[in-house]
Each structure stands twice: as structure tokens, then as C-alpha cells.
Amino acid sequence: MGDTFTLPFDPAIRAEQLRADLRRHEHLYYVQDAPEITDAAYDALMNELKRIEAGHPELLTPDSPTQRVGGKPAEGFKKVRHSRAMLSLDNAYSAEELADWDRRVRELAGPLPVEFMAELKLDGLSVALRYEPAGGGVSRLTTGVTRGDGQTGEDVTSNIRTIHSVPLTIPAEKLKKAGLPPAIEVRGEVVMPEAAFLRLNEEREQQGLALAVNPRNAAAGTLRTLEPGIVANRRLVFFAYFLLVNGEYMEQGQRATLEALGALGFRVNPSRKLVGSVEEMLQFIDGAEAARANLGYEIDGVVLKVDSHATQQRLGYTGRAPRWAIAYKFTAKSGVTQVTGITVQVGRTGKLTPVAELTPVFIGGTTVSRATLHNADFIERLGLKLGDWVKVERGGDVIPKVVEVVEDAEHPRGELNFAFPSKCPECGSEVVRVEGEVDFRCVNVDCPAKLRESLLHFGRRSVMNIEGLGEAVVQQLLDRGLVRGVADLYSLKRDELIALDRFAEKSADALLEEIEGSKKAGLARALMGLGIRFVGERTAELLAEEFGSIDALMGANAEELERVEEVGPRISQAILEFFSQSANLALIQSLKDAGVNMTAEKKLRSAQLAGLTFVLTGTLPTLTRDEAKARIEAAGGKTAGSVSKKTSYVVAGEEAGSKLEKARELNIPVLDEAGLLAMLAGPAVIE
Ligand code: IVH
């Protein structure tokens, strides 16, 4: 950029800009229930405005956001952005997969130490708890947030407070002793113990209510209950496994993290061990499997985490999971039951999937009454007949599947043959099997099943994240002719929704807000929403990052597409084919017309502070001078030793001296540590 020239700092202009920004964020927060920035970033803006107004009283206006406190929060749960994404884990299902992972880790780690912390994989739901200094020598639990979509969760603090294993306060001296600052975040798993689950279902049965399917669902439902009294009664348990300071994991590594959490008063699962080899991992896994039945709560595997923080950082992350951790999943639980029928489902792409209808059977805590049969070939290979007894497997969250036909004295064979349909069961059109593919597909572009499934897909949490766009709603929208494609969602009217079954003004408004909010989902999610074959979450993210807009992507040829990591000829062909169809181009145009953002969220993180120069002065509450410097530089900013006209911001801590005075003289904005951290966190990526 050469010699930069910075605009002179004009407090009047800055104050007006801050007021406008603050008002916008207040509206997003209080009215739309869709905040774009974290509370800390909001506070930083507010503090900056307060400071300007204090220094220039003539600029203070009666309608300034500094003159008003709060507003009426929305009902239900407030959404809270995570300090750092709550990611998921990659899975391994066998010793071989574990060994592969171990090898990859060692390759990538280079000279850095490789040891693993083996922990139980608790079958609950993860939450993030924030503690902040509250005076009186303690830090207090301020927020408890569910994982949500990984970026933003729901504020369930009042429910979290009822969980006895969650400390409400942590003595400052304990934090100090553990070498921690007063503001920390603890992450872990909320589980419902089996006894509590059984008791809950007994009660529900007596009350004639539907039974909860498994402890995890029951725990999730409980945390989202609006009455903390009910939650208190359900006896949830919280096990802590991560500790974050300013959105970073503890430098001392995972073993030390668990010890520190224990010392702070958290419940940490005692079944854990530092292991150094695949052999030791497998030993731990065997032990966990043996103990599984007697733990009193459900586990579905073992999590292995690289212990050293430096090694973790070197390994980094893939789109949705750390490379430095893996979940070893116990082999699926299975049960034997009878096939009473076979139905054929039509998916979003027209694919026909046969599903076995079963005599309900209880497998691993859940009642299973349907299981996938994958495709016509699979049925043929099994030689499956109606009335056969089959072995059904269920692992974790995956759809139950039929694995084999069981035949013995107690389980005689069935007799009725099943003929795979030659017509689409939903629209009666012809079904075809493309050469080289196993699946039959309905070729009717207007098949109602395809439309229904694409709408459901579009609304999914991992796609456009439109809460409330479930099966019942989609079916009604279609039946009433209100939508004929995903783009029509954006022109739905309030009255039309209120007229739907089980809809009231509140639910209609909520759905409209969700639909409106989805416009900001960004290019990657929109790409998934389009339903291009083979373009899943990760590929969509990579494409969005590379091309930045739908127009650029549409203009790309095969060679350009294949420059993207993970995109080979198969995917590039699918993309080109998709954009070659006029119906798809029309769909993209309608989405654009509706205001759906088809550009990528800018990956600003590494250049967040580009072009800005910071001067640090005084002692900051949590960061050392070197840490602050490193973080500014990592985000593309510069630091300087003295304040001049070229300084963009002065970051002042306690006992800041002449540099602060100089900053005031030159009208250079002053930040505190929170303000700096908010800038580092950046303009929140719009969800
Ligand atoms: S670590 C980025 N440790 O498993 C790291 N997760 O499949 C992710 N879980 O969402 C979390 N026990 O809800 C971790 N000891 C443990 C766990 C655990 C259960 C859950 C957690 C996570 C899911 C990923």
C-alpha cells in the first residue's frame, strides 16, 4: 500500500457512525432476535461512544444509545454466538481407522510431541459455560449456551443453573492458583443419567404422554424447556472437558485442562488416561466397553485428543472437526425383528430408497420400527422376503439398517416376494437406473416428493437453517399450492402462514423471521441449498471460499473448478451439468431476486486488522504485552512503540501513562482489552 495516509480522526463523525451502528445492532438483537455481533463487540462499540461523549460533551445527544439502557428481550431463548466454533468430531469405527488416524497425526505433527488423552464419549449434548469476574472474590456463571449450529447456540443459562454439577461461582483464588484469568469458558457435555431417564418415562407413561426415545434426546429437550423448575427435577449432569480463555484452548494441553477443571470444582469424568500408542488406545476402548453397562449414563464411544496444545495447533482443523481429535464409535447395537412391509421413499434427487417396516424392536435405548434397505440390489442380495426376520443395526445417530436375514427354528423365512416398483410411488412416473449406478430414480422433474424433499433439505440446520420448516409445515405449503420451489419460501405472506393448521401469529412471525434470516446464510449454505449432486458441506465451503460469488462460480470451467481442493472431474461435471439447466438458472435468479445472499462470507480473520497500527500501553487484564502483540500481528495488524498521527488505535490497560495522554491529544481512539479482543473477533460472520 506504500505510505498510508489516514483520515484525521473526527470525533463528531465517529460518534455519529457509532450511534448508527449501535442502533442497528440493538434492533437486530432486541427486535429481530438475530444479532450479528457478539455481546463483547457490542460493548466495545458502546464504550467507545461513551468515551467520545465523555471527552466531547457537546456531541452528546439525548437519543444517543448511551442514554438508554436495555430493551425488552425477545421471548424464548436468546441466540448467542460462540467465542469459538463448537466443532464436531470425525469418527473411527475400527482399529485400522484408528491406526490410520494415528499415522496421519504423527506425520503432520513432525517433531512435536504426540500423546493422546483418551476420554469417554458421553452421549449427551455439548454446552459452553461462561464465567466472568463478579466482585467479591469470585467469577460467576454468566451464560450457558447450547451448541446450536456450532457457530451460534441458545442461551439456556437459567436451565444450566439448575444442574448441580455446574458451579455457579468459582473463587478467584482457585482461578489464580490454576494460572487462569477471571474470565473463562468451560465446555462439556450435559447428560441425563439412565435412572433419571427411566423415571421421566415412567411419569410420562402415567400421564399418557409420548415417551422420550433416549436419554440424549431427553436431555436436549430438557435443556430447552422454558421452565427451570422442570429442569431442576430432571437431574441432568454436566461433565466438563474443555477450558477456553479468550476463545483459545489452554496452552498446557488436554490432560492439564481436565485437572484444572477438576480443581475449579467441575465434574470431570474419572475414566480417562494418557495413552501413547494405538495399542494403548485399544486397551482403553476395551475397558470402556466393558464398563459401559454399569456407568449409569450412556456413552457411545471414546474420544482421543492430542494432548499437547502446540501439536493441536499445528494439526489444525478441517471444515467441521479438529484434526487433533477423533471419536472411536462403539460398534452398532443390534436387534432381531420381523419385516412386515417394504415401502419405497423418494428423495430430493429422485432416488428411490427401499425401507423395511418392522415389528417395533428396542435397540440401544430407542424403538426402531423402520430400517433402510439401501437399494434394490441390496434386497436382492439378501434375498429378502416379506415376513422374514432380520438383524437390524443402529449406531449413534445413523439411520437403522437391515444387515442380514436371520433364519433358524424360531425365525422361519417369510414367503412373499417383493417387487421393486417400476413406477415412482409418489407420482407414478417412470423410474430409471442410470448405467453404472445402483439407484433407481424418478425422472419426473415435477415429482412432488422431490419438491418436498428439496424444501426440507433447504431448511435443514446445516443448509439454510430455517427453524420450523419441518415436514408438517412443508406438506401444508405444498398442499395449499403456496410454494412450488424453494424460492417461493421468500414470498410467503403472514396471512398465508397464519391460515395453516397449528399456526398462530407468533409461529407465523417466527417462521417468517427464520426465512428472512436465511437470506444471510451465505454462499456455501446457498450452494448446498441448491442441491448440486456431490456438493456437500465441505465442498460447498471450499467452492464459496475460492469463487466468492455464485456468478464467479457459474462462470468457471472444469479446469478452474478442479483447482479447488477435493473437487475432481466427477464433482466438476456435476456442477457444470447443474448450471447448464435453465430451470436451475431460473432458480438462482429467483433466489437472488428474493435477496438471498449469494456471495461468500469473507474470510477476514487473518487480515482482520490489515492496515491498522496499534500502540500498547499499561497492563492489560488478561493478555501479556507479547500475547497482545502476537495476536494483533497474527490478524494482519502492526504494532508500534510510540503514538503518532499514524497510530490507528491505542490499547490501554491499567497504569497507562504518557502514551494514553498522547493518544488523547491526537484524538486517536483508545481501546481497552475487551475492545481489542472484539476487533480481533472481527465483524461477526453473518449467519
Ligand atoms: S470434544 C472439537 N470430548 O461428541 C471437539 N466431545 O461427536 C469436540 N462428546 O459435539 C468435542 N464426549 O457433544 C469431546 N469427551 C468428549 C466428548 C465429546 C461427548 C460429544 C460432543 C461433541 C460430539 C462430537
Side-chain angles (χ1 to χ4, degrees):
M1 227 203 259
D3 208 0
T4 50
F5 73 95
T6 30
L7 289 171
F9 178 71
D10 182 335
I13 294 177
R14 180 68 184 147
E16 210 27 64
Q17 188 190 359
L18 285 165
R19 279 185 204 127
D21 284 352
L22 285 163
R23 284 193 196 109
R24 193 170 83 83
H25 289 307
E26 275 179 358
H27 182 79
L28 285 167
Y29 183 93
Y30 287 114
V31 183
Q32 301 203 334
D33 194 18
E36 284 180 9
I37 60 173
T38 59
D39 293 358
Y42 176 85
D43 290 346
L45 294 175
M46 181 66 94
N47 287 336
E48 192 185 344
L49 180 59
K50 278 188 191 155
R51 255 192 316 264
I52 294 178
E53 288 174 346
H56 305 270
E58 75 283 3
L59 295 178
L60 182 61
T61 59
D63 65 349
S64 170
T66 57
Q67 302 304 299
R68 179 162 73 108
V69 258
K72 200 169 166 293
E75 281 177 42
F77 298 110
K78 201 173 74 180
K79 297 225 163 121
V80 179
R81 216 182 140 70
H82 294 303
S83 63
R84 171 189 196 103
M86 290 183 84
L87 298 176
S88 148
L89 292 170
D90 284 336
N91 295 321
Y93 295 95
S94 64
E96 291 74 44
E97 285 178 22
L98 215 48
D100 283 345
W101 177 71
D102 173 81
R103 207 171 309 120
R104 270 202 311 281
V105 166
R106 288 178 197 279
E107 267 166 30
L108 291 170
L112 296 180
V114 177
E115 269 186 306
F116 305 93
M117 196 66 211
E119 301 170 20
L120 298 183
K121 185 166 180 341
L122 307 156
D123 202 3
L125 63 149
S126 46
V127 294
L129 314 179
R130 292 187 198 164
Y131 290 82
E132 274 154 44
V138 295
S139 286
R140 183 169 294 143
L141 171 70
T142 55
T143 336
V145 189
T146 59
R147 175 173 184 269
D149 65 3
Q151 303 291 340
T152 309
E154 286 181 318
D155 183 337
V156 290
T157 314
S158 42
N159 289 342
I160 294 279
R161 280 194 224 282
T162 68
I163 302 176
H164 290 282
S165 38
V166 171
L168 296 179
T169 56
I170 307 174
E173 85 222 26
K174 279 196 186 173
L175 287 161
K176 206 164 160 200
K177 212 163 149 197
L180 291 164
I184 60 165
E185 180 176 329
V186 174
R187 292 185 178 177
E189 202 83 353
V190 170
V191 299
M192 180 177 280
E194 274 155 14
F197 175 71
L198 293 175
R199 200 187 59 167
L200 169 69
N201 266 351
E202 259 168 42
E203 281 170 15
R204 292 186 68 90
E205 192 160 18
Q206 280 165 12
Q207 293 161 3
L209 298 171
L211 301 191
V213 285
N214 59 40
R216 175 159 44 89
N217 284 3
T222 302
L223 265 197
R224 298 191 77 252
T225 307
L226 283 162
E227 275 174 76
I230 294 186
V231 186
N233 230 326
R234 299 259 175 100
R235 314 218 173 281
L236 298 176
V237 174
F238 174 73
F239 286 105
Y241 51 68
F242 279 142
L243 204 165
L244 284 81
V245 175
N246 294 324
E248 259 306 322
Y249 295 116
M250 248 174 87
E251 267 166 30
Q252 290 82 346
Q254 184 61 12
R255 192 231 303 245
T257 296
L258 297 177
E259 272 162 22
L261 286 167
L264 295 179
F266 289 89
R267 185 154 169 191
V268 178
N269 202 288
S271 304
R272 57 180 201 262
K273 191 171 192 264
L274 203 61
V275 296
S277 65
V278 176
E279 211 163 81
E280 283 182 339
M281 292 180 201
L282 293 170
Q283 262 171 22
F284 183 85
I285 290 168
D286 282 348
E289 249 183 313
R292 188 176 183 186
N294 303 316
L295 290 171
Y297 48 84
E298 291 213 331
I299 60 171
D300 58 344
V302 163
V303 182
L304 295 144
K305 301 175 184 168
V306 168
D307 184 54
S308 148
H309 184 249
T311 313
Q312 287 178 4
Q313 282 185 313
R314 175 154 174 154
L315 288 162
Y317 299 81
T318 62
R320 83 203 93 197
R323 287 201 190 83
W324 47 265
I326 201 158
Y328 177 93
K329 290 282 199 80
F330 293 142
T331 30
K333 300 170 186 173
S334 67
V336 171
T337 186
Q338 197 172 21
V339 178
T340 56
I342 295 177
T343 47
V344 175
Q345 289 181 349
V346 186
R348 177 168 55 91
T349 58
K351 176 174 148 183
L352 269 52
T353 305
V355 176
E357 306 290 338
L358 308 164
T359 306
V361 55
F362 205 61
I363 305 177
T366 298
T367 303
V368 174
S369 51
R370 317 184 73 200
T372 183
L373 287 161
H374 310 287
N375 52 51
D377 283 2
F378 184 76
I379 297 180
E380 211 174 290
R381 236 179 300 142
L382 288 182
L384 187 71
K385 290 185 195 306
L386 293 178
D388 272 347
W389 291 80
V390 288
K391 181 169 160 194
V392 177
E393 271 186 2
R394 186 190 143 246
D397 247 343
V398 295
I399 306 160
K401 51 188 180 214
V402 171
V403 288
E404 64 190 28
V405 174
V406 178
E407 186 183 4
D408 55 34
E410 279 164 63
H411 304 106
R413 290 298 306 261
E415 281 168 4
L416 277 176
N417 274 323
F418 168 73
F420 205 83
S422 55
K423 299 257 184 289
C424 170
E426 299 252 2
C427 71
S429 306
E430 202 192 333
V431 299
V432 297
R433 171 142 62 171
V434 178
E435 256 207 48
E437 287 191 7
V438 284
D439 297 314
F440 283 97
R441 287 175 197 278
C442 164
V443 289
N444 173 12
V445 281
D446 294 321
C447 173
K450 284 191 197 173
L451 185 52
R452 182 185 65 227
E453 296 303 317
S454 4
L455 283 162
L456 287 169
H457 169 78
F458 195 77
R460 282 206 180 102
R461 181 178 265 191
S462 58
V463 185
M464 297 298 267
N465 195 14
I466 305 176
E467 202 177 313
L469 194 65
E471 254 169 72
V473 174
V474 164
Q475 198 55 59
Q476 289 192 68
L477 294 176
L478 290 170
D479 291 347
R480 293 172 189 227
L482 295 173
V483 297
R484 259 174 268 151
V486 291
D488 294 341
L489 289 172
Y490 295 100
S491 40
L492 283 171
K493 304 271 176 314
R494 191 167 183 259
D495 296 351
E496 294 171 339
L497 291 180
I498 293 176
L500 301 183
D501 293 348
R502 313 245 248 129
F503 257 70
E505 293 180 6
K506 223 172 123 187
S507 36
D509 288 339
L511 181 55
L512 284 175
E513 261 186 42
E514 285 285 324
I515 294 174
E516 184 62 28
S518 75
K519 291 183 183 171
K520 295 188 230 141
L523 181 57
R525 284 166 177 265
L527 283 178
M528 280 204 290
L530 292 175
I532 308 172
R533 268 192 98 190
F534 310 128
V535 177
E537 189 169 345
R538 171 123 177 102
T539 311
E541 273 168 17
L542 294 169
L543 288 167
E545 219 173 288
E546 172 73 22
F547 293 97
S549 73
I550 190 86
D551 295 318
L553 179 65
M554 282 159 67
N557 60 27
E559 191 188 323
E560 285 158 343
L561 289 169
E562 285 166 33
R563 263 184 231 145
V564 175
E565 205 188 321
E566 292 184 16
V567 174
R570 189 180 66 131
I571 302 183
S572 73
Q573 278 320 305
I575 296 171
L576 291 172
E577 151 102 24
F578 184 87
F579 290 133
S580 74
Q581 292 179 14
S582 56
N584 294 333
L585 300 182
L587 166 63
I588 292 166
Q589 192 55 48
S590 336
L591 289 173
K592 276 186 184 171
D593 292 345
V596 175
N597 175 12
M598 297 267 200
T599 55
E601 303 154 342
K602 286 214 174 72
K603 296 268 166 192
L604 281 175
R605 287 201 180 279
S606 61
Q608 201 79 343
L609 307 184
L612 299 179
T613 304
F614 291 75
V615 172
L616 297 159
T617 175
T619 315
L620 299 178
T622 68
L623 295 174
T624 65
R625 188 70 68 88
D626 283 345
E627 282 165 356
K629 195 165 170 249
R631 294 192 54 174
I632 289 169
E633 286 168 2
K638 284 193 216 136
T639 53
S642 61
V643 181
S644 74
K645 277 192 295 188
K646 290 198 183 156
T647 308
S648 320
Y649 288 94
V650 169
V651 183
E654 242 172 82
E655 285 171 38
S658 61
K659 290 182 194 169
L660 185 55
E661 276 164 35
K662 188 83 191 274
R664 297 241 158 90
E665 252 167 55
L666 294 175
N667 261 339
I668 291 181
V670 178
L671 298 173
D672 55 10
E673 188 188 70
L676 172 65
L677 293 172
M679 283 189 82
L680 284 163
V685 176
I686 296 169
E687 291 291 319

